[in-house]
Amino acid sequence: MRPTFESSLREPGGEPGSDLRHETGSEPGSAPGSRPSDAPLPATLPSRHATPVGPHPTPLLDLVIPVFNEEDDLEPCVRRVHEHLVRNFPYPFRLTVADNASTDRTPEVAAALAAELPAVRSVRLGQKGRGRALRTVWEASDSPVLAYMDVDLSTDLNALLPLVAPLISGHSDLAIGTRLAGGSRVVRGPRREFVSRTYNLILRSSLAARFSDAQCGFKAIRGDVARRLLPMVEDTGWFFDTEMLVLAERAGLRIHEVPVDWVDDPHSSVRIFRTAVEDLKGVWRVGRALAVGALPLDRLARPFGDDPRDRELDAVPRGLVRQLIGFCCVGVLSTLLYLALYSLARTFAGPQAANAAALLLSAVANTAANRRFTFRVRGRRRAVRQQAQGLVVFGIGLALTSGSLAALGTVGGPVSHHSELAVLVVANLAATVLRFLLLRAWVFQERPQPSGPTAHQPCQPQQTQQTQQPHQNPRAREELKSP
């Protein structure tokens, strides 16, 4: 059950990060004319960490503009965005200029704007990197909804409210602007069009990404999601967006896409070739980490509220279709392995001995593969026992295939190698159904989940936080022990 916005404002939150240096800025809150005080607040809001700042409520939206040496474009950009938010955004907001190590007058321009315009602040970082700037500001922000946009304002500002609306309602976890979906209107040169589409094709083919546009500088994320997701993102440059989206998608978080109107900035300072090389390095790094299971994506699995996939229905087997598909894929590969091993062993052994050796080796591989990919069993717990049970299933298959070979020998006359293979294939197909039923109902049987309040504890963030606090604070641990 997600808390209401009013209740979330009364809950204590974390202090802003110490690695930020706030140059200047007015109190975060609403600008005159933005109608935040009398506008209706949403019924639910996906944050539990909002904290009042002075007399103003916590800004619902913290919109970040990362900049590097943008002394000419920064002022018109900030003024235009600020005016748009005042006129069209019905909730309290904050506009943050994140200057990452500019060497021109960008810090002075940002400080002057923060001193003049309400709800604008400037943040100065000592190192370059758009990803570093976004991570630093977002992790220190107390706003329930976090967003960013590029300083060139290539994206039409009318898409801002549709971008953050699914996050305000709690329907989605992240939102991105896309230039490659139906309904988008894009004006840009053929070179950038080719680079963008090629990059997204690489993501789809190598990382199995399903989102349509990773590079559009127009994205938003819920604050509580960011606090769990950002520590897992390693990149500090342009690949930051892609890595964040890939990890979120792999963890099952919901990503909302908004078609945008986008006009290319011909004076963009982005170095396409250098950025492309860095992005490819990031794709390789993330792909390798996903392949070896080095990312703890389980920490992101459904931690933000009730998920229909967590609800158990009586008499409805869970994951049956997926398990059947996985079992068939593993079965095809193990059958090919079995036939190859049998053909190899048949060169120096009789048919019965060759069949037993090939079936034994392929059965061990089959059990391990089904354990990992079909029934999604992780860790070493019960692995030896399950392999032993798999050998019992192997014994049943051995009896069927050996009996088939024995029956073939009673036909009389010489039996060709191809005839033996054909009989073995038929016998294995006959044993497949029985093997799947035994694996599902006996070897990898799903254990019943404990009933009671703890059964759905991972889906209740407040309980999770309470259980984590004693580990972070020894004094709190002692207080919990005391009666």
Short mmCIF file of all heavy atoms in Angstrom, two decimals, residues 77 111 242 260 329 467:
data_model
loop_
_atom_site.label_atom_id
_atom_site.label_comp_id
_atom_site.label_asym_id
_atom_site.label_seq_id
_atom_site.Cartn_x
_atom_site.Cartn_y
_atom_site.Cartn_z
N CYS A 77 17.78 28.75 -21.75
CA CYS A 77 17.18 27.45 -21.46
C CYS A 77 16.47 27.46 -20.11
O CYS A 77 15.30 27.07 -20.01
CB CYS A 77 18.26 26.36 -21.47
SG CYS A 77 17.75 24.79 -20.73
N ALA A 111 24.59 30.50 -10.98
CA ALA A 111 24.40 31.11 -9.67
C ALA A 111 23.49 32.33 -9.76
O ALA A 111 22.64 32.56 -8.90
CB ALA A 111 25.75 31.49 -9.08
N THR A 242 21.59 4.43 -20.68
CA THR A 242 21.37 3.08 -21.22
C THR A 242 21.52 2.03 -20.13
O THR A 242 20.70 1.11 -20.01
CB THR A 242 22.35 2.80 -22.36
OG1 THR A 242 22.18 3.79 -23.38
CG2 THR A 242 22.12 1.43 -22.94
N VAL A 260 7.82 12.03 -28.51
CA VAL A 260 8.14 13.45 -28.35
C VAL A 260 8.33 14.11 -29.70
O VAL A 260 8.59 13.45 -30.72
CB VAL A 260 9.41 13.64 -27.49
CG1 VAL A 260 9.20 13.09 -26.09
CG2 VAL A 260 10.62 12.99 -28.15
N CYS A 329 13.62 -26.69 -25.04
CA CYS A 329 14.91 -26.21 -25.55
C CYS A 329 16.06 -27.03 -24.96
O CYS A 329 16.97 -27.46 -25.69
CB CYS A 329 15.08 -24.73 -25.22
SG CYS A 329 13.92 -23.63 -26.07
N THR A 467 13.61 -3.48 8.77
CA THR A 467 14.49 -4.60 9.04
C THR A 467 15.93 -4.28 8.69
O THR A 467 16.84 -4.91 9.19
CB THR A 467 14.04 -5.83 8.26
OG1 THR A 467 14.01 -5.51 6.86
CG2 THR A 467 12.66 -6.28 8.71
#
